[in-house]
Amino acid sequence: MSSITDPNPGFGRSTLTQKIYAASVMLYVLPKTILSVIITRAFKKHNVSFKDHFLRSMIREVLLGFPRQILRAPGEAQVEKVLASPRFSAVRKNIVEPVKTSAFSGYWICQGSISTKREPQSADVTILFAHGGGYVIGHVAQWITFMLYIAEVIESKGLNVSILALDYSLAPEAPFPTQMDQAHAAYSYLLDLGIAADKIALIGDSAGGSLMMSLLASLAIPLPPSTTTLPKPLGVYLLSAWLSFQHTSPTFSTNAGIDVLDKRFLDNCANDLRAASSHSRTTIDTYTEFVHPVPGRLPLSEILPHTVWISAGADEVFRADIEAFAKLATQTDADVTLDVGVGKAHDWVFGDVVAKEADFLKATGDLGDDFAPGAKVLAVAIVDAVKKRKTSSPRL
């Protein structure tokens, strides 16, 4: 089994004490959340079902109420569950291989193909992926099923794919620009392998989307002491991306009670990322603020690659910021797509895969169009970008 451990302080296997603490907190959170949802729905009409309203509220309460050392759940069991599943047990030696350099850590989720391990640079497209979690929680292991599903869809369209998942350090132990520097190092690593920039697709959800945008900014505007610019990738694919730390847009009010996130959690996360940084607020904003103006920052036209694909949930607090960013992006030469999921909350494209993960792992064939359609649309968008590049590139 490929070992996945987190180098971040506080990460490890849950102790009995932690489990007891989590259970006791849950005994308090569960009735509190049920009562809160009932009262809220009694006084305000919602288009969200009671079940979804309750589940989203529970996630929100857990994010706010549970200590980080518990939320930073170990990934070993999740990896083994995927590798031992009927779907992937026969190819387990081909997937989830650790990568560690002096500048970054990560995992090859697949190299060239799920079924046959190849040189990563032989793939038609290589994905660099960054996970969400507000920069303070989350681990690659939790996104493995999602990434493998994306790879399967891409392969079903006749392309070979490699996926490198970045295992970046978490705040507040690792403040800005640690995560951006690690993403930059991972991108440079892919280029050094001989993978052309126009064969690399960046994917990030939530804080991972923020990180991928920070990476793009750093490619165009190197953070001193670096002075080296790097070529833009094929495209960036942003899933419910965290594009501004201001948290002042209208949907932070209108969607506050029906999303899985809220302003308090996000303010805490942003503060954790910035608090111990040696850089000024303006410098940090240069690499993290993509909705509101930042003095001295290059325009989005200098930062964005040719393809920009963005998703949002209609019910999420980030929606207005994401829509504002998409509007700014359409004013550049980029090919911009915005997919807003009706009735969906934050990070729904990833969440839909998680919701049906058990069915996916125990099956050995195609689960049909009803399985995680948002993730399938994302994968197809990457395929379309690759095919357009092949058609337009004179060297292919």
Side-chain angles (χ1 to χ4, degrees), residues 105-156:
S105 296
Y107 298 89
W108 283 113
I109 304 305
C110 61
Q111 298 176 64
S113 169
I114 294 175
S115 57
T116 306
K117 187 175 173 182
R118 308 173 185 177
E119 292 295 321
Q121 55 268 39
S122 69
D124 297 299
V125 61
T126 295
I127 293 170
L128 178 59
F129 175 80
H131 67 77
Y135 287 106
V136 301
I137 58 175
H139 191 268
V140 171
Q142 296 163 283
W143 278 261
I144 285 178
T145 301
F146 171 76
M147 288 182 278
L148 287 172
Y149 177 66
I150 295 296
E152 282 192 359
V153 175
I154 291 175
E155 288 190 11
S156 74

Side-chain angles (χ1 to χ4, degrees), residues 42-314:
F43 289 94
K44 185 177 179 180
K45 183 178 180 180
H46 289 285
N47 293 325
V48 182
S49 69
F50 182 90
K51 177 183 176 182
D52 285 345
H53 196 167
F54 168 71
L55 291 175
R56 295 176 188 180
S57 297
M58 279 293 296
I59 294 172
R60 198 167 59 246
E61 291 292 334
V62 166
L63 290 175
L64 282 168
F66 274 53
R68 296 274 171 80
Q69 63 266 32
I70 293 178
L71 292 176
R72 293 178 180 182
E76 200 77 21
Q78 171 66 14
V79 178
E80 179 56 30
K81 181 175 73 172
V82 172
L83 295 180
S85 68
R87 195 172 196 91
F88 296 111
S89 59
V91 295
R92 62 180 295 153
K93 292 183 179 180
N94 300 332
I95 58 179
V96 194
E97 179 179 310
V99 177
K100 189 171 181 62
T101 74
S102 60
F104 83 97
S105 296
Y107 298 89
W108 283 113
I109 304 305
C110 61
Q111 298 176 64
S113 169
I114 294 175
S115 57
T116 306
K117 187 175 173 182
R118 308 173 185 177
E119 292 295 321
Q121 55 268 39
S122 69
D124 297 299
V125 61
T126 295
I127 293 170
L128 178 59
F129 175 80
H131 67 77
Y135 287 106
V136 301
I137 58 175
H139 191 268
V140 171
Q142 296 163 283
W143 278 261
I144 285 178
T145 301
F146 171 76
M147 288 182 278
L148 287 172
Y149 177 66
I150 295 296
E152 282 192 359
V153 175
I154 291 175
E155 288 190 11
S156 74
K157 302 300 180 181
L159 299 183
N160 294 321
V161 58
S162 298
I163 301 179
L164 177 62
L166 180 65
D167 184 23
Y168 60 86
S169 301
L170 301 178
E173 297 89 349
F176 175 90
T178 305
Q179 299 79 11
M180 185 178 76
D181 289 345
Q182 291 170 348
H184 195 283
Y187 187 78
S188 297
Y189 169 81
L190 294 178
L191 296 178
D192 290 343
L193 285 179
I195 300 171
D198 65 358
K199 284 189 173 184
I200 300 174
L202 308 180
I203 301 181
D205 69 310
S206 196
S210 169
L211 182 52
M212 290 295 93
M213 284 302 302
S214 294
L215 169 59
L216 287 171
S218 74
L219 299 180
I221 324 164
L223 179 65
S226 175
T227 58
T228 304
T229 59
L230 293 176
K232 296 178 182 179
L234 169 72
V236 63
Y237 300 79
L238 304 170
L239 285 62
S240 292
W242 189 13
L243 298 166
S244 171
F245 291 168
Q246 293 193 21
H247 310 149
T248 56
S249 62
T251 45
F252 273 93
S253 297
T254 58
N255 290 344
I258 56 173
D259 193 18
V260 298
L261 298 180
D262 72 0
K263 186 176 184 300
R264 293 170 295 170
F265 173 74
L266 293 165
D267 284 345
N268 290 339
C269 293
N271 289 337
D272 282 344
L273 183 67
R274 297 180 298 202
S277 176
S278 60
H279 292 273
S280 68
R281 182 68 171 265
T282 299
T283 298
I284 296 173
D285 286 350
T286 299
Y287 297 96
T288 59
E289 173 60 64
F290 300 100
V291 177
H292 304 284
V294 177
R297 187 190 64 200
L298 290 177
L300 281 180
S301 59
E302 300 290 330
I303 296 172
L304 294 177
H306 179 265
T307 302
V308 180
W309 188 93
I310 315 160
S311 71

